[in-house]
Amino acid sequence: MQSVDRAVTVLEILARHGEAGVTEIAGELGVHKSTAFRLLGVLENRGLVAQTKDRGKYHLGAGVLRLAGAAAVRLDISQEGVPVCRELADELGETVNIAVLDDDAAVNIMQARGTASVTAQNWLGRRTPLHATAGGKVFLAHVEPAVREAHFGRPLRRFTERTVTTASALRGELETVVERGYATTLEELEPGLAAVAAPVRSHDGSVIAAISVSGPVYRLTAVRLPELGSRTATAAAGLSRRMGYGF
């Protein structure tokens, strides 16, 4: 824990000063220069600090911007998504979630419940599999092909009799997701559960989240899913505009 605390302190020192040398950092940490040098080496290897070669000083690296950008996206989505989720949940009466991609899973970061979903599960904070959820299929449909194929290279867990677990079947389904603008699942994660989801885009057009509507199959029937998918896609487009897409 001491090393972690010191590493964070190094980042705070560089944020405060803009740049600093090993001697200066060691002095503020109250450690030997060799200890400070080792900490800086680890942070440099992870891209969190970088060295100005001609002056021998260190400054914050691009890795910090990457982490800050990821956090900012989640914060922005959480703020901008509230009215969109609430309106969609009130209109449809079902549970509406916003999920973001987290490595090999989709993580729900916001949820709104409609009047018909008073007994629905709480999905907030849950990591859900990409291949068996509507939001997850949205992400798989829009990631780089190499990332998608790497995911298909691992065994895909079967959750129900309807779970699609073959790469060939999923590839065809994901092409459809891109063409029509939304994904669907029908009892693929849990018996009796259906869902639709559509992509949310950032200002540069990249997919940064998925907004989904889920509920029991007796309400979200196979016949009704296209209508719900289209409405969800419209809501996702509205949230995308809030995130700067199309301007």
Side-chain angles (χ1 to χ4, degrees), residues 46-71:
R46 301 304 296 267
L48 298 176
V49 304
Q51 189 174 10
T52 306
K53 301 300 182 182
D54 56 339
R55 295 198 304 276
K57 292 183 178 292
Y58 290 84
H59 54 84
L60 293 177
V64 173
L65 297 176
R66 184 180 67 250
L67 295 176

Side-chain angles (χ1 to χ4, degrees), residues 108-125:
N108 294 295
I109 62 171
M110 180 186 301
Q111 178 171 277
R113 295 186 181 184
T115 55
S117 60
V118 290
T119 60
Q121 306 183 44
N122 181 13
W123 296 96
L124 199 60

Side-chain angles (χ1 to χ4, degrees), residues 1-26:
M1 292 300 294
Q2 186 180 48
S3 296
V4 174
D5 183 69
R6 286 173 173 171
V8 172
T9 302
V10 169
L11 297 177
E12 291 174 341
I13 291 170
L14 295 178
R16 187 166 60 249
H17 295 301
E19 62 178 20
V22 177
T23 301
E24 184 179 357
I25 292 171

Side-chain angles (χ1 to χ4, degrees), residues 13-112:
I13 291 170
L14 295 178
R16 187 166 60 249
H17 295 301
E19 62 178 20
V22 177
T23 301
E24 184 179 357
I25 292 171
E28 292 206 33
L29 288 175
V31 300
H32 193 274
K33 284 177 60 175
S34 62
T35 300
F37 187 76
R38 285 196 298 272
L39 285 170
L40 286 163
V42 172
L43 293 171
E44 187 175 18
N45 287 338
R46 301 304 296 267
L48 298 176
V49 304
Q51 189 174 10
T52 306
K53 301 300 182 182
D54 56 339
R55 295 198 304 276
K57 292 183 178 292
Y58 290 84
H59 54 84
L60 293 177
V64 173
L65 297 176
R66 184 180 67 250
L67 295 176
V73 164
R74 293 193 182 204
L75 289 174
D76 288 346
I77 283 286
S78 296
Q79 293 169 358
E80 299 296 336
V82 170
V84 177
C85 281
R86 186 69 269 160
E87 180 182 355
L88 193 59
D90 288 345
E91 176 187 338
L92 301 179
E94 304 295 348
T95 300
V96 177
N97 280 279
I98 291 180
V100 295
L101 182 62
D102 186 19
D103 193 19
D104 61 347
V107 178
N108 294 295
I109 62 171
M110 180 186 301
Q111 178 171 277

